[in-house]
């Protein structure tokens, strides 16, 4: 079955430690995204990548880093510089918009990783 | 991308139609209206999208006003499983494909 996976579902870390969240997709999508969600809030974009070996900062990139060495993988590292890392992290993927003249670039979301920093 | 305004919460009786409104008065001519929903502690799920014509699929119907300044998502026969936060989003294909999510509408379905 095609889809997008995130692991683990729950993650606990001590303050000051870097942590890397996994995101894998087998949908052959070019574009991938990382969002953060805080309780009762909407999603905010951290980073996105429209092609391998290229990525752009979203609205709240400070304290985060990403890599895109493979089309199917887009890991997110939450560094110790992120002031409030405890949140629900969501990864998504879509067909790159330039492949479609219409705006039908629906984003498929993974199940999310809930990170708690103690 | 244009901003949207949605009521923070709504409720609906099971089996009845749920009508979720969204205002997007600053929408541009090349911007589409998308609806997603998020069930608690899961990733958002795409529901439907449209440009100016009304749209219907197996999940819902989307009614867009003629001036495109507002739209309504209709769940024709709401069930308890439709309890979720519903997000209305507008964006253009010419912009980056990132989605800007607002706070959405929390829909509660009562038995």
């Amino acid at each position: 079955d095609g889809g997008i996976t995130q692991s683990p579902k729950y993650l606990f870390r001590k303050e000051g430690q870097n942590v890397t969240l996994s995101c894998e997709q087998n949908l052959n999508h070019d574009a991938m995204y990382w969002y953060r969600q805080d309780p009762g809030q909407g999603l905010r974009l951290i980073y996105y990548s429209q092609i391998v070996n290229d990525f752009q900062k979203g609205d709240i990139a400070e304290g985060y880093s990403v890599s895109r060495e493979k089309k199917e993988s887009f890991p997110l590292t939450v560094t110790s510089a992120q002031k409030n890392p405890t949140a629900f992290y969501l990864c998504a993927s879509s067909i790159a918009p330039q492949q479609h003249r219409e705006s039908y670039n629906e984003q498929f979301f993974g199940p999310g990783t809930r990170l708690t920093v103690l | 991308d244009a901003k949207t305004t949605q009521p923070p919460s709504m409720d609906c009786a099971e089996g009845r139609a749920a009508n979720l409104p969204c205002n997007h008065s600053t929408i541009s001519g090349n911007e589409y209206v998308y609806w997603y929903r998020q069930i608690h502690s899961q990733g958002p799920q795409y529901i439907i999208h449209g440009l100016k014509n009304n749209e219907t699929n197996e999940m819902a119907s989307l009614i867009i006003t003629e001036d495109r300044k507002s739209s309504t998502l209709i769940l024709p026969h709401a069930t308890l499983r439709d309890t979720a936060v519903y997000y209305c989003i507008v964006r253009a294909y010419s912009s980056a494909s990132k989605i800007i999510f607002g706070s959405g509408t929390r829909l509660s379905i009562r038995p």
Side-chain angles (χ1 to χ4, degrees):
Chain A
D1 289 303
I4 182 165
T5 58
Q6 293 182 244
S7 60
K9 189 168 178 62
Y10 299 95
L11 189 57
F12 297 88
R13 279 294 182 273
K14 291 183 178 179
E15 192 174 349
Q17 289 182 333
N18 291 355
V19 59
T20 297
L21 310 184
S22 164
C23 178
E24 304 279 331
Q25 54 96 3
N26 60 2
L27 300 166
N28 200 33
H29 285 168
D30 286 305
M32 297 186 74
Y33 316 81
W34 273 105
Y35 295 88
R36 168 186 172 134
Q37 187 174 36
D38 293 287
Q41 306 292 317
L43 282 67
R44 292 185 290 167
L45 183 67
I46 305 172
Y47 268 98
Y48 64 102
S49 167
Q50 298 199 29
I51 197 167
V52 174
N53 292 323
D54 187 47
F55 48 83
Q56 288 79 41
K57 292 182 179 180
D59 302 316
I60 54 165
E62 186 175 351
Y64 299 97
S65 66
V66 292
S67 62
R68 188 83 189 279
E69 297 177 3
K70 298 186 295 182
K71 186 176 185 177
E72 57 271 20
S73 179
F74 190 41
L76 173 75
T77 296
V78 184
T79 74
S80 56
Q82 167 51 233
K83 296 287 187 286
N84 298 297
T86 294
F88 187 45
Y89 289 88
L90 286 155
C91 180
S93 70
S94 72
I95 297 170
Q98 59 267 27
Q99 295 180 12
H100 284 260
R101 296 186 62 81
E102 296 285 322
S103 184
Y104 185 56
N105 47 355
E106 170 193 346
Q107 293 195 7
F108 292 82
F109 285 82
T113 292
R114 191 167 298 278
L115 173 65
T116 301
V117 175
L118 306 171
Chain B
D1 292 332
K3 289 186 176 179
T4 63
T5 304
Q6 298 177 253
S9 63
M10 293 181 64
D11 66 80
C12 176
E14 189 176 18
R16 303 296 295 269
N19 298 295
L20 292 90
C22 179
N23 286 324
H24 31 80
S25 58
T26 59
I27 192 170
S28 301
N30 65 344
E31 287 181 319
Y32 286 68
V33 180
Y34 282 75
W35 282 84
Y36 283 76
R37 74 179 182 185
Q38 186 177 23
I39 295 169
H40 182 62
S41 293
Q42 297 183 22
Q45 175 191 23
Y46 165 84
I47 301 173
I48 199 167
H49 78 286
L51 183 62
K52 53 184 176 182
N53 297 322
N54 297 338
E55 302 288 344
T56 295
N57 63 20
E58 64 277 4
M59 289 182 68
S61 294
L62 174 61
I63 309 297
I64 302 173
T65 58
E66 193 167 343
D67 63 7
R68 302 209 323 121
K69 293 185 177 182
S70 65
S71 60
T72 301
L73 178 75
I74 302 172
L75 307 179
H77 305 287
T79 71
L80 297 177
R81 288 178 295 180
D82 291 323
T83 294
V85 177
Y86 288 77
Y87 296 99
C88 169
I89 296 148
V90 294
R91 62 191 174 103
Y93 74 86
S94 59
S95 67
S97 55
K98 60 182 179 179
I99 295 177
I100 300 174
F101 284 83
S103 300
T105 295
R106 183 172 299 277
L107 177 66
S108 300
I109 306 299
R110 57 181 190 274

